[in-house]
Amino acid sequence: KCVCVVIPEWVADLHSWQVPTNFMCPISHSVMVNPAITPNGNSFDRLAIERSIDLNKKDPLTGARLRKYHLRPNRDLRALIEDWIFHEGGLVAPA
């Protein structure tokens, strides 16, 4: 059974939490809401990396050529972030 959880946008702006570094977008420096992974294995928040691609057409960490169609959802990372939010935020996971 798959339960989809919408990560509240306010989570991306929480600076008081001890955020694991791999949950932070290297571009926006905020918690990733919709992680996307590049062919090189780098993860970014989708909105941030798509904006970066529009401007530079490159992976900002490697400099490799990058297009939006190269991006894939990083579902595993998203699930980890959602679990962390429920644990840290004292929220109750959906049944």
Side-chain angles (χ1 to χ4, degrees):
K1 178 179 175 182
C2 176
V3 176
C4 295
V5 177
V6 176
I7 298 175
E9 296 212 9
W10 53 264
V11 170
D13 296 322
L14 292 177
H15 299 290
S16 61
W17 292 9
Q18 292 287 346
V19 180
T21 56
N22 58 324
F23 293 176
M24 301 292 287
C25 174
I27 299 171
S28 68
H29 304 288
S30 296
V31 176
M32 288 183 261
V33 174
N34 186 13
I37 192 165
T38 67
N40 289 330
N42 297 314
S43 291
F44 303 91
D45 189 72
R46 181 171 290 277
L47 184 60
I49 189 62
E50 286 183 351
R51 287 179 179 165
S52 179
I53 291 170
D54 287 341
L55 294 172
N56 304 311
K57 311 278 190 264
K58 295 179 183 177
D59 182 316
L61 297 180
T62 66
R65 182 180 172 196
L66 187 62
R67 300 296 182 262
K68 290 180 185 178
Y69 61 83
H70 293 142
L71 301 174
R72 299 289 176 254
N74 191 337
R75 292 182 183 98
D76 291 337
L77 180 56
R78 183 178 175 119
L80 289 171
I81 293 170
E82 289 172 351
D83 287 345
W84 173 78
I85 290 167
F86 286 122
H87 178 264
E88 290 297 315
L91 303 174
V92 177

